[in-house]
Structure formats: structure tokens, C-alpha cells
Amino acid sequence: MIKEVSPDWERSYKSITFIVTKDCQLACKYCYLVGKNAKERMSWDVAKKTIDYILNNHSFFNEEAVVWDFIGGEPFLEIDLIDKICDYIKTEMFRLCHPWFNNYRFNFSTNGINYNSEKIQSFIKKNITHLSIGITIDGTKRKHDLNRIWKTEDMERGVVPNQSEEKGSYDDVVKNIPLWLEQFPGAGTKVTISSADIPYIKESVLHLYSLGIHEVNINCVFEDVWKEGDDELFENQLMDLADAIIDSGYYQDYACSFFTEHMGKPMDCQMDNQNWCGAGRMLAVDAEGNFYPCTRFAQYSLRSKKAWIIGNVRDGIDKNKLRPFLTLDRCTQSTQECIDCEVASGCAWCQGENYDAADTPTIYQRSTAICKMHKARVRANNYYWNKLYRKLEKEGEREAFENNKPKSNAPKC
């Protein structure tokens, strides 16, 4: 009997990430993967041993469902390996009568450059019922090409190109958006904001809507890149965006994760003390067969700290090395100022960035580089909802909106 997929299965799922390659066609300026290279590629032997270890240890991996996540670099550079991995996962889950059989998803975040290739399209058609693919497009051509540029041979040698020599990737990505939306009509894109592209937020979100993308998941980088005055510029852009979304009626059918009602409130240490990040409850494996609590603890993700390895495909997971992650919550890693903050809800963090930015090799020191940007977002968010509800109440449409408003599927790391 084939198990019916429950609509609520994602409440209890394991996220397992294969770092299939550390190579990418692009050299995005805000990318946290500081150690990308063309040499470290996963072998079939490492992938198979990973799958065998996980599927044969159900007492440890006992979640109701699983997301098999593939990242790089650019994961689709290794489509042949990925295709083989996914076929093996499916046949093994069937052979073992595994509880995850028919309760799984293959997940990809791609730059979209080779999305229309024959091999990738063949893979999509074969796995479409258990597949989630997000293409990253940052907005307008101006904003996208500011950061998401093609890698060059000079870059691989450590030579930084002049801005006039940079080649943006917008045109190479946007041509594949119609095909992607045809196959995944409810898909959302992920937009990253850094200091340089704050002036283009409003126009970029509206541009993505015009391409037919109904959900824009957008966030500021967690690294300490923010300049004096960035928060004010950020707030003004978000307020301008709020005006455009409300005045043009986009709020009825489109979503932007910058605006959410569940943000900007104080948090209780008992009732609201979860860890934002899933590090430790996820599992990542690299080309060497090393296990990590998430990909941000692999060496190619870290600027100044050593990789935090919790096991490998030969010996399995060392639970003592994993244990610190299972004790993480908001209060164990936050300063008293963060704990008492009146707008704490919705203020995100990345566990890997916490570790990388900490004064010592600890995961219990929360990075606060994003603090002023969060507060600016809260002020703009309050403006958005106050304006929207005034409009709806004036027009007698608030109840209808409450019953039918689009729900964001913004991923939470």
C-alpha cells in the first residue's frame, strides 16, 4: 500500500544536504561561500555511503518525512551524479519499505543558468511530483547584475576585475523563468540584499512580480557589511515598496517576505525560546564524506573558523559533537539586550555566521550585525500593515482579506 502524502508532513521532516560541488559559474559578491572551487566534487561512493547510513539508521533519523537537498556552488553542474543519487534513494526507500517512501522531496536552489538543458529537463520530468526548485533572480537587471556576475579565470587566480569588466548574469537567468514558472507555478524566488543594492529594492520586487513570480522571499545578508545610514535608506525603500504594493493591489495575489504580521513584537523566554536556525537538526555531507550540522559549518563557508565536523560516512555521527547544537535556543546565545528587545520577533540569525563571527570558537554568541536593519524593517512593516488595514476597513474588505490573504512559504533555515 502506498502511503498518502499528508499535507502537514513538513511539521516533522529531516533536511539532508548533499554538497555535490563547490564550483559555480558565478562569483556573486555577497556569497558567503568563500572557499568555492572547481576541484571538490562529490563521488558516487561518498553519496551512496551517505544514503546507506541514513536509510539504515531509522532509529536516529526518525522524522516523518525527509527533504533531500542539493547545493553547491551550483548543484546542477553535477546533474549526472544527482540523477543517480535520486534514483538510488527512491529504489532503496522502496526496497526497505522505509517510512519516508513517498514522503520525501528533492530540493534545489539554483542560479538558473543551465535550467533549460536537456539533462536537467529530463530529471525534472522524472521527479516532478516530489520536486522543489527555486531559481535565484535578484530583481531588475540593474540590481541582479550588480552582484550576480560571471566568474572569470582571473577571479580563480585571485584577481579582482574592474567593474567595467564584470559580466552580469541577468539575461542568462531571466530567459529560463517562463519555463520554470510553467513547471512550478507556485514557486518563489530568493532575493538577497547587501549594502550596495538597497536603492533598488522597490523596483526589483515589483519587477519580479511582473515576471509572474508571486512570492518573493527576500532577506539582508547576516555578515557585518552594513554602513552608516543603510538602515534609513532601507526603511525608506520598504515604505516606498509598501505604498506600491498597497496602492496597486498587489497584496491580494502576491507576497513579499519583508512584510509579515508576525514580526516586531517582544518575545517571552519560556513561550518564544526556539532556535531560529535548524543547525544540528539538519545534516550536511561534503565531497570528503564529512558530516556537518549544516552547510555553514563546512570549511568553504567559513572566513575565520575551522570546520565543525560531527562525523563522516565511515564512522557515522558523533553524538557528543552534535550535542551542543541540540541545546541551542534564543536565550542561550543572545545578550540580555536581545532577550529584552521590544521588537525581537522576526529577528533572524544564522548559526554558522554566529560561529564565524564570534570572539571564540563558540556557537553560543549571537551575531548582531543585522540589528539596525531588522529595526528598520519593523518600522516599515508597521507602516505597511497600518496602511493596508486602514484601506481595507475603509472599503469594507478587511474580513474578506483575512479569510483569503496569500500565505508566505518563506523558508526558515
Side-chain angles (χ1 to χ4, degrees), residues 4-73:
E4 291 294 328
V5 179
S6 165
D8 295 327
W9 71 271
E10 288 186 329
R11 290 182 180 177
S12 175
Y13 73 89
K14 189 72 174 181
S15 178
I16 297 166
T17 301
F18 292 87
I19 306 173
V20 291
T21 179
K22 295 181 181 177
D23 193 14
C24 186
Q25 308 100 316
L26 303 183
C28 301
K29 297 176 186 177
Y30 51 57
C31 185
Y32 61 84
L33 300 174
V34 295
K36 287 189 292 188
N37 65 83
K39 297 176 181 178
E40 295 181 76
R41 301 164 57 191
M42 183 173 287
S43 67
W44 165 243
D45 180 62
V46 165
K48 181 179 182 299
K49 286 179 178 176
T50 301
I51 298 163
D52 290 342
Y53 170 71
I54 291 167
L55 294 183
N56 287 288
N57 281 276
H58 180 60
S59 61
F60 187 76
F61 300 97
N62 56 8
E63 289 81 2
E64 296 175 18
V66 63
V67 173
W68 303 96
D69 194 24
F70 298 88
I71 70 164

Side-chain angles (χ1 to χ4, degrees), residues 163-183:
Q163 190 168 355
S164 60
E165 298 172 341
E166 295 174 354
K167 181 178 183 293
S169 60
Y170 175 87
D171 293 335
D172 305 287
V173 177
V174 74
K175 67 181 182 183
N176 290 324
I177 296 300
L179 174 60
W180 171 57
L181 291 177
E182 179 184 339
Q183 294 169 329

Side-chain angles (χ1 to χ4, degrees), residues 326-346:
L326 304 183
T327 65
L328 282 167
D329 56 40
R330 184 175 68 93
C331 290
T332 57
Q333 59 188 304
S334 297
T335 63
Q336 196 62 43
E337 181 181 5
C338 289
I339 292 171
D340 295 337
C341 179
E342 294 183 353
V343 294
S345 61

Side-chain angles (χ1 to χ4, degrees), residues 245-277:
I245 290 175
I246 294 169
D247 295 345
S248 300
Y250 285 114
Y251 60 88
Q252 299 176 63
D253 299 303
Y254 296 82
C256 174
S257 64
F258 267 155
F259 303 120
T260 170
E261 291 174 283
H262 308 292
M263 183 180 66
K265 301 177 177 66
M267 299 179 74
D268 183 87
C269 276
Q270 270 69 47
M271 302 296 293
D272 306 302
N273 197 30
Q274 297 78 25
N275 192 25
W276 180 276
C277 173

Side-chain angles (χ1 to χ4, degrees), residues 70-255:
F70 298 88
I71 70 164
E74 167 52 42
F76 281 141
L77 290 175
E78 294 295 323
I79 186 59
D80 290 333
L81 173 64
I82 288 171
D83 192 30
K84 191 173 182 179
I85 289 172
C86 292
D87 281 352
Y88 185 69
I89 287 172
K90 290 182 291 185
T91 56
E92 282 299 285
M93 289 194 301
F94 177 80
R95 184 182 69 82
L96 296 168
C97 295
H98 198 282
W100 289 344
F101 176 69
N102 207 40
N103 216 17
Y104 68 93
R105 186 172 74 228
F106 298 133
N107 186 65
F108 296 83
S109 181
T110 172
N111 59 35
I113 288 172
N114 57 353
Y115 185 82
N116 64 342
S117 72
E118 184 177 343
K119 285 185 177 181
I120 292 171
Q121 286 302 304
S122 176
F123 173 82
I124 290 171
K125 290 174 184 176
K126 181 164 64 173
N127 295 284
I128 190 69
T129 58
H130 288 275
L131 194 59
S132 174
I133 298 178
I135 291 181
T136 300
I137 181 167
D138 255 1
T140 60
K141 180 177 174 63
R142 174 164 58 175
K143 180 188 178 322
H144 185 99
D145 287 350
L146 184 66
N147 281 310
R148 301 186 67 81
I149 60 175
W150 280 88
K151 179 181 66 177
T152 65
E153 291 183 4
D154 283 345
M155 289 180 186
E156 292 183 326
R157 294 194 297 267
V159 179
V160 179
N162 296 324
Q163 190 168 355
S164 60
E165 298 172 341
E166 295 174 354
K167 181 178 183 293
S169 60
Y170 175 87
D171 293 335
D172 305 287
V173 177
V174 74
K175 67 181 182 183
N176 290 324
I177 296 300
L179 174 60
W180 171 57
L181 291 177
E182 179 184 339
Q183 294 169 329
F184 302 95
T189 192
K190 180 184 175 185
V191 177
T192 300
I193 303 298
S194 59
S195 180
D197 49 33
I198 291 174
Y200 314 121
I201 293 175
K202 172 193 168 183
E203 66 180 40
S204 289
V205 173
L206 298 179
H207 177 68
L208 294 170
Y209 288 169
S210 76
L211 294 178
I213 300 171
H214 282 246
E215 181 165 340
V216 177
N217 298 313
I218 186 166
N219 64 277
C220 296
V221 299
F222 291 103
E223 290 76 24
D224 189 8
V225 300
W226 305 106
K227 301 174 183 176
E228 188 69 30
D230 276 352
D231 53 333
E232 183 178 349
L233 293 172
F234 183 52
E235 182 180 351
N236 290 337
Q237 273 291 301
L238 292 191
M239 291 176 68
D240 288 346
L241 175 60
D243 287 338
I245 290 175
I246 294 169
D247 295 345
S248 300
Y250 285 114
Y251 60 88
Q252 299 176 63
D253 299 303
Y254 296 82

Side-chain angles (χ1 to χ4, degrees), residues 258-261 263 377-385:
F258 267 155
F259 303 120
T260 170
E261 291 174 283
M263 183 180 66
R377 180 188 170 199
V378 168
R379 293 191 294 269
N381 186 68
N382 290 340
Y383 172 83
Y384 174 90
W385 289 104

